[in-house]
Amino acid sequence: MSQDFQAASEEANSLRTAIEDHNYRYYVLDDPSVPDAEYDRLMQRLRQLEAQFPDLITPESPTQRVGAMPSDSFTTVEHRLPMLSLDNAFEEQDLVDFDRRVRDRLKREEEVTYCCEPKLDGIAISIWYEDGRLTRGVTRGDGASGEDITQNVKTVANIPLKLRGEGYPKTLEVRGEIYLPRAAFDSFNKKALEKGEKPFVNPRNAAAGSLRQLDPRITATRALEMCCYSVGFVEDGELPGSHRQILEKLKEWGLKINPLTEVVTGAEACLEYYRSILEQRDGLAYDIDGVVFKVNDLELQQELGFVSRAPRWAIAHKFPAQEEMTVLQAVDFQVGRTGAVTPVARLNPVFVGGVTVSNATLHNMDEIRRLDLHVGDTVVIRRAGDVIPQVVSVVKDKRPENAAEIERPGTCPVCGSDIVQLEGEAVARCSGGLYCAAQQKEAIKHFASRKAMDIDGLGDKLVDILIEKELISTPASLFTLRAADIAALERMGQKSAENLIAALEKAKETTLPRFIFALGIREVGEATAKTLANHFGSLDKLQQASVEELEAVQDIGPVSAGHIKSFFEQSHNLETIEELRAHGVQWPDIELASREGLPLDGQSVVVTGTLESMTRDEAKDLLVALGAKAAGSVSAKTSFLVAGEKAGSKLAKAEQLGVQVYNEEQFLAKVKEWQGS
Ligand code: IVH
């Protein structure tokens, strides 16, 4: 054995120990010892060593979690001991009755000690260890046999590939629940929706779907976790005499158990545990659907035995469901403070997740289409954690014949302005802007803010009060305020009232970029407002600009151009601007550099495709500096098109219209010519 190999082998061993220690502290003790970056470095180094010396790789190496190739199907395996289910208690009385039955059967009057655990809402799994090494993972299936999903189970980061410590039986079957924590579920769904893919209905389905993947590399991306709650088959080894002690052993051996597990005596204490966990439910990182009570003493468990498919020594006390069915009565459209128009489901009231729900958000029209939702449909509502209730699916079989399609209104239900939805945007918006009552507050706060009209002393709180007292309703109405009205407000004296009036007077003398920014046009921030002001020089020119002309401005894309265009198409917005001017709001126009005498004066040019020597924006700047107007699309009026690599539809259009086209080389030669002229 070479010295190098020997040294690498020792280093790999110590890296593995360190990584396993970190995993244990992170997943089982919930007490991470090193930052993630350090952990990543250890893994990286181990991978490096194993790549250099493949003989060092062991099946339990932390690098081997996602080694296996996709398979065609899962094989079915029989459980050595059946995986049972639990009887359910729904009312407190059910639990009291259960405890009574237990004591009657045991023929004892004294109270029984129970181990209490949260009931995780995931997928039941059996995992097997031989000599401390993970050998197999099987789903519960029908309880008698399940599917062999060993390769997927190995990708679950908190399942140890090798048990820690000592004293574990030679053969050990551990049972527990694999679940997807809520945060991982939310982020998975967010990404799925962004990509236009189907989201999971709830974390349990997500866990099931992830474990059912034939390609373990997909499972590995899902951030699943396992929490263990019992042992199954055991050979060649001793286990302690109570359920709680067994769980403690599992923890010692590196398996995660639920930290909220408690041992209590008597039915009343069980009920207290139930109430306390129910209270914590919304704040937990994962979904639970109840608690489980298990007679703690294994001898007593044996004495009690089983009835049909459930033990007599355990019961699940269920929480109110987080998913329920109800009927969709109507869909209303609400306008948010930014103008976003959101459909809201009006439901037959239903008790779900511990509260009565009669409304649920539907996000946007895409979501309605994705769900294929109709008014009159029976829907599944989910309310988990503190999250607002969601419509997760439609029960298609229950759709009545008169179910109605849902359509978005064309005009804003608050102010009557057109609702516009730009191409590529999921959200529809009211175009009422400054005029729409739903958006007034935000519009006025923005209008008054420092980088906009900079009205000194007019903070957000004061805006709220002024609107509440109906002293203002639009930005223009600010200029009708009188000192006496303001002074009469709580905590406002004569002096501060006068100061505010003076600040309003001062704000009337503004600049074009500030005014454009103050209008609160979507996608038009401070920098864009400046660009627009410098490009067009006056508000009138900006107001009259076509979408093509807007798109030709540097950094203005089709979305911003669309928002600007639709803002100035709304008569309400134009009226507001007129009112502001009438109150004396003014600014100097910006003198545009004269193009006269420049070589490309009067020419309209378009740049498309990828250029090698500069970016498209740089090319446009160059052309503008030479006197040209850079446009966003090709038309018969286009003087010439500069087409770089991978030019597409614009090139085709230019050719079709017979517009002069320059490739990059020709363009650069032309530039020299123009610059020389
Ligand atoms: S004990 C014989 N403990 O609930 C007893 N089950 O309805 C076997 N579950 O399929 C189960 N959390 O997947 C037990 N702390 C817990 C549990 C739990 C969730 C699931 C389990 C089982 C179902 C029984």
Side-chain angles (χ1 to χ4, degrees):
M1 202 183 288
S2 83
Q3 256 195 332
D4 281 358
F5 183 84
Q6 186 59 38
S9 164
E10 278 166 23
E11 189 184 348
N13 278 338
S14 76
L15 283 166
R16 282 180 195 136
T17 311
I19 291 166
E20 280 155 12
D21 281 347
H22 294 322
N23 275 343
Y24 183 62
R25 294 197 53 157
Y26 186 88
Y27 288 115
V28 180
L29 303 183
D30 210 1
D31 176 26
S33 49
V34 293
D36 291 355
E38 169 63 9
Y39 180 89
D40 294 343
R41 272 193 289 276
L42 297 173
M43 278 295 274
Q44 178 96 15
R45 175 71 186 140
L46 180 58
R47 278 205 194 93
Q48 208 177 27
L49 285 174
E50 290 179 345
Q52 209 179 342
F53 302 101
D55 284 349
L56 285 180
I57 301 174
T58 64
E60 300 78 41
S61 175
T63 58
Q64 298 305 298
R65 285 193 181 270
V66 213
M69 293 308 289
S71 50
D72 297 332
S73 63
F74 300 119
T75 45
T76 304
V77 282
E78 214 167 295
H79 294 298
R80 281 289 287 266
L81 300 172
M83 286 183 81
L84 303 168
S85 58
L86 292 169
D87 273 343
N88 291 323
F90 295 100
E91 311 285 335
E92 298 206 336
Q93 188 58 43
D94 298 338
L95 190 269
V96 173
D97 294 345
F98 161 78
D99 174 62
R100 182 76 261 155
R101 285 196 301 276
V102 166
R103 286 193 285 159
D104 285 352
R105 219 163 224 282
L106 294 174
K107 296 197 177 58
R108 59 190 254 166
E109 257 325 297
E110 81 238 55
E111 304 218 87
V112 175
T113 298
Y114 295 98
C115 185
C116 318
E117 302 157 22
K119 184 171 186 295
L120 285 149
D121 200 4
I123 304 299
I125 297 288
S126 141
I127 55 176
W128 287 73
Y129 288 91
E130 299 286 346
D131 291 318
R133 282 164 218 288
L134 179 69
T135 53
R136 180 176 263 189
V138 187
T139 61
R140 175 174 183 273
D142 62 4
S145 58
E147 283 177 324
D148 184 332
I149 54 159
T150 310
Q151 296 312 332
N152 288 344
V153 161
K154 277 178 136 179
T155 70
V156 177
N158 80 342
I159 297 181
L161 300 177
K162 208 174 92 200
L163 294 179
R164 298 173 66 82
E166 49 205 34
Y168 40 76
K170 193 169 164 48
T171 302
L172 174 68
E173 181 197 3
V174 181
R175 292 174 176 183
E177 203 86 347
I178 290 187
Y179 58 95
L180 190 66
R182 284 176 183 160
F185 166 75
D186 289 342
S187 89
F188 177 89
N189 269 3
K190 194 165 162 247
K191 279 190 214 134
L193 284 170
E194 276 166 10
K195 285 189 277 184
E197 290 166 8
K198 203 170 167 243
F200 283 113
V201 162
N202 56 38
R204 194 194 44 237
N205 283 23
S210 303
L211 284 176
R212 227 179 282 122
Q213 294 292 331
L214 289 168
D215 184 349
R217 286 169 300 188
I218 298 179
T219 314
T221 63
R222 301 286 168 83
L224 297 166
E225 292 183 11
M226 177 164 182
C227 186
C228 303
Y229 52 65
S230 70
V231 295
F233 185 82
V234 175
E235 203 168 56
D236 274 357
E238 286 290 306
L239 288 177
S242 80
H243 181 71
R244 171 82 236 205
Q245 287 166 330
I246 292 177
L247 293 180
E248 280 309 320
K249 277 284 168 209
L250 295 181
K251 183 172 171 183
E252 257 177 62
W253 295 330
L255 293 149
K256 167 144 182 127
I257 61 165
N258 199 303
L260 299 174
T261 304
E262 260 177 56
V263 172
V264 307
T265 300
E268 188 43 49
C270 286
L271 293 177
E272 256 169 52
Y273 178 83
Y274 172 89
R275 293 178 205 124
S276 137
I277 299 292
L278 180 55
E279 230 167 70
Q280 297 174 57
R281 181 191 203 184
D282 283 354
L284 296 180
Y286 42 83
D287 275 8
I288 59 176
D289 57 350
V291 295
V292 184
F293 302 116
K294 300 170 184 172
V295 171
N296 194 35
D297 186 319
L298 292 202
E299 275 183 24
L300 297 184
Q301 282 191 5
Q302 280 213 310
E303 211 177 315
L304 288 159
F306 300 86
V307 58
S308 69
R309 296 170 50 79
R312 285 204 191 87
W313 44 262
I315 194 159
H317 192 174
K318 301 288 281 266
F319 288 154
Q322 287 180 317
E323 283 180 13
E324 283 294 351
M325 285 200 302
T326 187
V327 172
L328 177 71
Q329 290 175 331
V331 173
D332 285 346
F333 288 82
Q334 285 182 346
V335 190
R337 59 189 177 84
T338 60
V341 178
T342 314
V344 179
R346 304 290 183 212
L347 309 160
N348 279 350
V350 59
F351 191 70
V352 51
V355 296
T356 300
V357 168
S358 37
N359 303 311
T361 176
L362 288 166
H363 304 291
N364 51 48
M365 287 305 289
D366 287 350
E367 175 77 353
I368 290 178
R369 274 177 227 117
R370 187 182 70 72
L371 291 164
D372 183 24
L373 188 64
H374 288 58
V375 172
D377 267 341
T378 295
V379 292
V380 177
I381 300 298
R382 174 177 166 81
R383 183 194 172 269
D386 296 327
V387 186
I388 32 175
Q390 313 271 327
V391 175
V392 294
S393 58
V394 171
V395 188
K396 296 265 169 65
D397 317 348
K398 297 195 177 226
R399 176 167 293 165
E401 267 179 23
N402 61 353
E405 278 206 35
I406 298 159
E407 276 175 48
R408 174 169 70 60
T411 55
C412 171
V414 177
C415 74
S417 304
D418 288 346
I419 290 176
V420 284
Q421 183 166 9
L422 295 174
E423 222 180 276
E425 290 228 306
V427 185
R429 292 180 193 278
C430 161
S431 59
L434 307 180
Y435 171 80
C436 178
Q439 301 169 65
Q440 265 163 12
K441 233 186 218 180
E442 289 310 304
I444 296 173
K445 285 176 187 173
H446 173 78
F447 183 80
S449 64
R450 203 168 49 78
K451 290 180 173 167
M453 300 298 281
D454 193 19
I455 305 173
D456 210 15
L458 186 60
D460 289 1
K461 275 224 179 84
L462 187 52
V463 172
D464 287 341
I465 296 170
L466 290 168
I467 290 182
E468 223 170 88
K469 301 269 180 216
E470 293 181 15
L471 288 170
I472 56 170
S473 59
T474 63
S477 65
L478 282 168
F479 298 102
T480 62
L481 281 171
R482 289 170 314 162
D485 295 334
I486 306 166
L489 297 172
E490 227 173 279
R491 265 182 263 145
M492 289 291 284
Q494 187 62 31
K495 183 82 195 131
S496 39
E498 275 165 19
N499 285 346
L500 182 59
I501 297 293
L504 280 161
E505 270 316 302
K506 189 166 155 236
K508 285 181 184 172
E509 300 293 331
T510 187
T511 66
L512 182 58
R514 274 182 180 278
F515 189 75
I516 295 173
F517 177 57
L519 291 174
I521 306 168
R522 284 205 68 74
E523 302 273 335
V524 178
E526 201 195 357
T528 307
K530 248 185 216 153
T531 309
L532 289 169
N534 289 328
H535 185 94
F536 291 101
S538 75
L539 190 68
D540 290 343
K541 288 254 167 58
L542 171 61
Q543 256 169 254
Q544 286 150 17
S546 67
V547 170
E548 289 76 37
E549 283 169 321
L550 288 165
E551 273 189 56
V553 181
Q554 189 165 1
D555 297 335
I556 304 275
V559 172
S560 327
H563 283 301
I564 299 165
K565 187 75 196 137
S566 79
F567 181 91
F568 289 115
E569 270 167 5
Q570 297 300 313
S571 55
H572 309 308
N573 291 334
L574 301 182
E575 280 160 24
T576 303
I577 292 170
E578 273 325 298
E579 259 183 88
L580 287 165
R581 278 182 152 147
H583 282 298
V585 175
Q586 55 180 331
W587 56 88
D589 284 348
I590 295 172
E591 222 172 288
L592 300 180
S594 161
R595 291 169 208 236
E596 240 170 81
L598 289 172
L600 298 182
D601 180 26
Q603 306 216 20
S604 169
V605 303
V606 177
V607 183
T608 190
T610 315
L611 301 173
E612 232 176 56
S613 54
M614 62 185 89
T615 65
R616 263 201 306 279
D617 275 338
E618 283 165 352
K620 280 189 203 168
D621 284 349
L622 191 55
L623 288 160
V624 169
L626 288 164
K629 263 196 188 166
S633 56
V634 175
S635 73
K637 288 192 203 133
T638 307
S639 313
F640 62 85
L641 171 77
V642 178
E645 286 299 306
K646 295 198 196 113
S649 60
K650 287 182 193 174
L651 177 57
K653 180 117 188 247
E655 281 168 352
Q656 189 197 338
L657 293 171
V659 168
Q660 170 80 55
V661 177
Y662 296 130
N663 66 22
E664 181 162 5
E665 200 183 325
Q666 293 165 325
F667 167 61
L668 293 175
K670 276 282 179 195
V671 168
K672 274 215 183 112
E673 217 176 275
W674 293 320
Q675 284 172 336
S677 67

